[in-house]
Amino acid sequence: MSSLFDRKKIVPRYKIVGYFMVLLGILVVGKAMYIATVKRDYWKQVADRLKRDSVSVKPVRGNILSCDGRLMASSLPEYKLFMDFKALSDSKTDTLWEEKVDSICQGLHEIFPERTAAAFRKHLEEGRENQSRNWAIWPRRVSYETYSEVKKLPIFRLKPFKGGFHTESFNARQHPFGSLAGRTVGEMYGAMDLAKCGLEQYYDTILRGKEGVVQRKKVMNKYLSITEQAPVDGADIVTTIDVNMQDLAERSLVDELKEINGDVGVAIVMEVQTGDVKAIANMSKGPDGQYYERQNHAVSDLLEPGSVFKTASIMVALDDGVVDTTYMVDTGSGIVDMHGAKMRDHNWHRGGYGTISLPKALEVSSNIGVSKIIDRFYADNPEKFVDGIYRLGLPTDLKLPFVGAAPPRIRHPKKNERGQYLNWSKTALPWMSIGYETQVPPISTLTFYNAIANNGRMMRPRFVKQVVKNGEVIMGFPPEVIKERICKEKTLKEIQTILYHVVSQGLGKRAGSKSFKVAGKTGTAQVSKGTGGYKSGQMKYLVSFAGYFPADNPRYSCIVCIQKSGLPASGGLMSGAVFHNISEGIMAQDLKLKVEDARDSLSILLPDVKSGNMTAAEYVLGRLGVKTIDGWSGSYATGNPIWGKASLTSNAVKIEKSDSTKPGTVPDVAGMGARDAVFLMEKKGIRVKLEGRGKVVSQSLPAGRACNGKEICLLKLK
């Protein structure tokens, strides 16, 4: 054993190993202490760089829909186009680039005509020389349609890691109907993704959804994304807006504003039984003389309503029983002294109305007649009159879903300890009774008239019916009653009869219709301009008409308010004309006709079909039994509108697809109706002026040329 284990040799060796291990341990501990103290900050920074980073993922914003489910605002993808030239380092791909660069640049020029093929080549070669990994091919975002066209070009169709073409996607807010109901639907602050106004702003939390979280970890110089919390897309809101009624209201209003050179126009259509706002137009004249929606005047304008307020004044007197419909009032020669101030009727220069009945005072909108009645019975107790106005519900705060919506301001008489009025003069009551000394937004006036049409039940104006997600209703907003009855039933029946007579035999005849009965009240008020007040000579007028139709079975109520400078100014003639066109249009749209009744079985004539949405045209022609021929290889059963033109053959209508939607170019809208033509133009960002009616016969911007989205195109129709 001693020969196998030499103690003198082995033990020293073990000692050396032991000493080495102890020294190594000391070095490890020392190094650890050094790292924990001296190098602590450095290694903390390293740890921070390597730890997982949270990256927020934005959800898709919900849609805003019309009452029948059509998109009024939607988030659609837009793309920034980039080229990674380092991906071309492969010799085969680099050679392919040399071969295809000319065709690529020519293709880009055809898609973006604003830049020449030579300019594209110079731009791309610069990025290639710099070996940029994110070289912008085009400076602005493009639609999915344009992105798809670019993706078809040589090399760009390859996978990103091989060809280098890649994109950055964004959710952009689009309005398929252009500026229709723009201030009601609302707007977004572009890239900041902030709601600016309208329903977009009020229902922002519902539409926005919730952001998701993705953790990113760097492993071997590559980032791995791990979804920690998936984004929750926003829900859709279904509004009460009817696209057809909205379009009708806007066109009728703008036509009259142009005719009388008006400054601001408001038109609101409400469904009587539910309070649903079917259309709300707010048009203001711009510096270029055209009309745009810039402010929601219908809910925010606090102006003296004028004669449309007289209906409420007479209702208070009737409801209190101080007068009845047989009451007679002397209006004199059209000018009377009212507590030291002159009050005039509109026909004072013709000698006035003399002695007239209470209903007649409303029919002819006599300032003197109404103010004399109210002053006689309420002069000593004006609080009772104002209490009656409040009892009617006219000053109610409607709690509308719009930031900046203003409730009516109807001041109440107040007395001091000595019984003297603090904010009231003897002239306040007479002038309040005819629509001055008060500020009422148009939506509140319409709500009051809607209650009259609805047999005294006042409904809160409703703009949103439901919140929907994935086809399921997650929140509902049923019709809401503000007041079950605004007045006595006897008062209501009397005022309904008077309002019908205002249109049938009074100053509101222009608002009437030969096809159905209309009831309502005209209004014309002076609007003070600036600090000079009413005597400054800078007079503006508010002309209005508020009413409902059909009068014998009310379905819709409507108010039209127009602000204009100077005379002439007539609520019955100007606002009444707009009301007439809107009511006639709505009732015509509402007719329930069978398609078969439109076809003459004995006739072999083919219908003249407008250019435009050929999907809709083919559907109608099919229902009428008219043969159609597709002049292109494809199918209409795509769910998307096909734009094109129609021509007549011997026994059929030939439908051909056009390139009206080609990106970056002015569309060819010849032969189209106004609606389709305006839709295609505004989709390209081109503003439109219309002249005439019928089909488009000429357009000031030639079809096919490049458009920059800031131009105005004049369309002549015939």
Side-chain angles (χ1 to χ4, degrees):
M1 287 295 293
S2 59
S3 61
L4 295 175
F5 184 79
D6 190 345
R7 184 178 183 86
K8 291 180 180 181
K9 292 181 181 181
I10 297 301
V11 171
R13 293 175 183 174
Y14 275 110
K15 286 182 180 181
I16 292 172
V17 173
Y19 293 147
F20 177 76
M21 294 297 291
V22 171
L23 180 60
L24 182 61
I26 293 172
L27 291 175
V28 171
V29 173
K31 186 66 173 179
M33 293 179 63
Y34 176 77
I35 292 173
T37 55
V38 178
K39 290 290 187 178
R40 179 176 182 274
D41 293 337
Y42 169 78
W43 287 109
K44 190 174 181 181
Q45 292 176 4
V46 172
D48 289 339
R49 290 201 303 268
L50 294 177
K51 72 177 184 180
R52 291 182 175 184
D53 295 322
S54 296
V55 178
S56 62
V57 181
K58 290 187 177 182
V60 176
R61 190 173 180 86
N63 301 317
I64 298 179
L65 310 172
S66 66
C67 63
D68 58 355
R70 287 191 273 183
L71 285 173
M72 301 192 75
S74 179
S75 291
L76 299 177
E78 286 188 344
Y79 301 87
K80 285 290 293 285
L81 310 178
F82 298 97
M83 189 65 186
D84 178 5
F85 285 101
K86 284 194 175 181
L88 295 176
S89 57
D90 180 82
S91 59
K92 291 183 179 179
T93 312
D94 193 56
T95 302
L96 184 62
W97 173 267
E98 292 288 350
E99 294 175 357
K100 300 294 185 181
V101 65
D102 288 335
S103 58
I104 290 173
C105 294
Q106 182 60 35
L108 289 173
H109 165 64
E110 293 175 0
I111 297 171
F112 305 105
E114 300 94 319
R115 183 180 291 179
T116 65
F120 268 116
R121 174 152 191 168
K122 180 180 179 182
H123 174 69
L124 293 176
E125 289 296 342
E126 182 182 349
R128 189 182 176 207
E129 289 176 6
N130 295 331
Q131 284 292 290
S132 174
R133 305 212 69 161
N134 289 282
W135 189 256
I137 297 174
W138 187 246
R140 297 189 298 272
R141 297 180 187 178
V142 301
S143 66
Y144 178 78
E145 183 182 20
T146 304
Y147 158 70
S148 299
E149 291 295 321
V150 175
K151 190 78 169 62
K152 295 176 182 178
L153 297 176
I155 296 183
F156 289 176
R157 67 171 67 103
L158 301 176
K159 293 181 179 180
F161 65 85
K162 187 174 182 181
F165 175 67
H166 61 283
T167 64
E168 184 179 357
S169 61
F170 302 85
N171 282 323
R173 207 64 170 162
Q174 301 289 337
H175 297 84
F177 291 99
S179 61
L180 200 71
R183 294 298 295 187
T184 302
V185 172
E187 301 174 12
M188 303 290 291
Y189 278 112
M192 291 191 295
D193 195 30
L194 296 175
K196 183 178 181 181
C197 61
L199 298 176
E200 292 273 23
Q201 184 179 25
Y202 192 85
Y203 291 97
D204 184 60
T205 54
I206 292 174
L207 293 166
R208 180 176 295 277
K210 295 182 179 179
E211 290 188 349
V213 177
V214 171
Q215 298 290 352
R216 302 188 69 197
K217 185 178 181 181
K218 190 173 184 181
V219 179
M220 297 181 67
N221 291 325
K222 291 185 179 181
Y223 280 99
L224 298 180
S225 297
I226 303 173
T227 301
E228 183 176 286
Q229 181 179 340
V232 179
D233 292 341
D236 301 338
I237 61 172
V238 182
T239 70
T240 60
I241 300 296
D242 183 294
V243 172
N244 294 329
M245 291 188 191
Q246 180 70 34
D247 180 55
L248 174 64
E250 288 190 11
R251 285 189 290 107
S252 301
L253 185 61
V254 170
D255 286 347
E256 185 66 19
L257 286 170
K258 290 180 178 179
E259 182 74 22
I260 65 174
N261 193 29
D263 300 317
V264 177
V266 169
I268 316 172
V269 179
M270 185 181 292
E271 196 172 64
V272 169
Q273 293 187 353
T274 62
D276 285 0
V277 176
K278 310 304 291 183
I280 176 169
N282 301 273
M283 310 307 295
S284 303
K285 183 192 286 185
D288 58 356
Q290 298 303 305
Y291 293 88
Y292 308 96
E293 281 218 342
R294 294 179 171 175
Q295 181 180 337
N296 203 332
H297 298 279
V299 304
S300 63
D301 276 7
L302 286 171
L303 298 174
E304 293 169 315
S307 297
V308 292
F309 192 86
K310 293 174 182 175
T311 302
S313 299
I314 294 300
M315 286 181 70
V316 171
L318 290 172
D319 218 37
D320 286 342
V322 297
V323 293
D324 59 25
T325 54
T326 63
Y327 184 84
M328 305 298 291
V329 57
D330 183 12
T331 65
S333 61
I335 304 178
V336 300
D337 181 87
M338 192 70 70
H339 303 292
K342 296 293 184 182
M343 180 172 285
R344 292 178 171 85
D345 275 339
H346 66 91
N347 70 334
W348 63 273
H349 57 285
R350 296 196 299 269
Y353 289 109
T355 300
I356 56 177
S357 66
L358 178 146
K360 187 70 173 179
L362 270 187
E363 289 175 21
V364 298
S365 197
S366 171
N367 294 333
I368 298 171
V370 174
S371 61
K372 268 195 167 184
I373 293 172
I374 300 304
D375 190 62
R376 175 180 177 184
F377 295 103
Y378 297 96
D380 296 331
N381 188 10
E383 298 94 330
K384 184 178 180 182
F385 173 77
V386 178
D387 287 341
I389 295 295
Y390 274 79
R391 187 175 65 243
L392 293 176
L394 187 55
T396 303
D397 184 355
L398 300 176
K399 295 180 171 48
L400 301 174
F402 301 101
V403 175
R409 295 176 184 173
I410 300 178
R411 62 193 181 98
H412 210 284
K414 295 180 181 179
K415 293 181 178 180
N416 59 20
E417 61 276 4
R418 295 190 301 275
Q420 298 171 326
Y421 287 108
L422 296 174
N423 65 335
W424 205 261
S425 65
K426 289 186 177 180
T427 60
L429 184 63
W431 263 263
M432 177 182 280
S433 69
I434 62 172
Y436 294 94
E437 303 269 345
T438 62
Q439 292 82 40
V440 183
I443 188 73
S444 294
T445 302
L446 178 61
T447 301
F448 167 66
Y449 276 86
N450 192 79
I452 296 174
N454 199 25
N455 292 322
R457 174 180 284 188
M458 180 174 282
M459 307 299 296
R460 191 180 306 282
R462 185 168 66 150
F463 289 85
V464 174
K465 297 193 296 185
Q466 297 172 334
V467 177
V468 179
K469 191 163 188 181
N470 299 325
E472 296 183 4
V473 178
I474 61 175
M475 189 184 304
F477 302 95
E480 184 179 349
V481 179
I482 299 175
K483 290 179 72 72
E484 279 290 347
R485 183 163 292 278
I486 62 173
C487 63
K488 298 175 184 175
E489 186 173 354
K490 180 174 180 292
T491 301
L492 184 67
K493 297 301 180 184
E494 291 171 343
I495 207 68
Q496 287 175 338
T497 301
I498 293 172
L499 292 180
Y500 169 63
H501 287 160
V502 169
V503 178
S504 61
Q505 57 195 38
L507 295 181
K509 289 182 180 179
R510 184 66 182 85
S513 171
K514 295 180 180 179
S515 304
F516 49 89
K517 294 180 179 180
V518 174
K521 180 70 183 75
T522 63
T524 304
Q526 295 179 349
V527 180
S528 175
K529 183 178 180 182
T531 57
Y534 294 105
K535 298 180 181 180
S536 66
Q538 304 176 25
M539 196 59 63
K540 299 185 77 172
Y541 293 87
L542 174 67
V543 297
S544 53
F545 185 91
Y548 51 88
F549 59 94
D552 49 356
N553 183 25
R555 299 183 60 188
Y556 300 101
S557 60
C558 176
I559 188 170
V560 178
C561 302
I562 296 175
Q563 296 178 45
K564 70 180 300 288
S565 300
L567 294 171
S570 169
L573 294 178
M574 297 173 179
S575 296
V578 180
F579 184 100
H580 168 82
N581 291 334
I582 292 175
S583 60
E584 287 271 357
I586 290 175
M587 295 303 290
Q589 290 176 0
D590 206 46
L591 291 175
K592 305 296 184 183
L593 298 178
K594 292 182 179 180
V595 176
E596 293 80 2
D597 295 339
R599 183 185 177 196
D600 184 355
S601 59
L602 300 178
S603 174
I604 59 173
L605 296 177
L606 296 175
D608 185 16
V609 182
K610 291 182 180 179
S611 301
N613 187 343
M614 290 295 102
T615 307
E618 188 189 45
Y619 173 79
V620 173
L621 292 171
R623 294 295 298 271
L624 290 173
V626 177
K627 183 181 178 182
T628 59
I629 302 173
D630 290 348
W632 65 292
S633 58
S635 171
Y636 287 100
T638 62
N640 297 315
I642 300 298
W643 303 95
K645 297 184 178 182
S647 58
L648 301 180
T649 64
S650 59
N651 62 348
V653 176
K654 185 177 181 180
I655 295 175
E656 295 181 299
K657 184 180 180 182
S658 70
D659 59 351
S660 296
T661 57
K662 187 175 180 180
T665 60
V666 177
D668 181 5
V669 297
M672 296 187 185
R675 180 178 298 179
D676 286 341
V678 171
F679 175 81
L680 284 178
M681 286 290 185
E682 289 191 345
K683 190 176 180 182
K684 300 295 183 68
I686 303 172
R687 289 182 292 174
V688 177
K689 290 183 181 179
L690 297 175
E691 283 188 7
R693 296 177 181 273
K695 295 181 181 180
V696 176
V697 294
S698 68
Q699 58 187 84
S700 61
L701 298 179
R705 59 154 280 191
C707 61
N708 57 23
K710 297 180 180 179
E711 298 167 300
I712 298 177
C713 184
L714 174 63
L715 301 180
K716 292 185 178 181
L717 295 85
K718 189 174 179 181

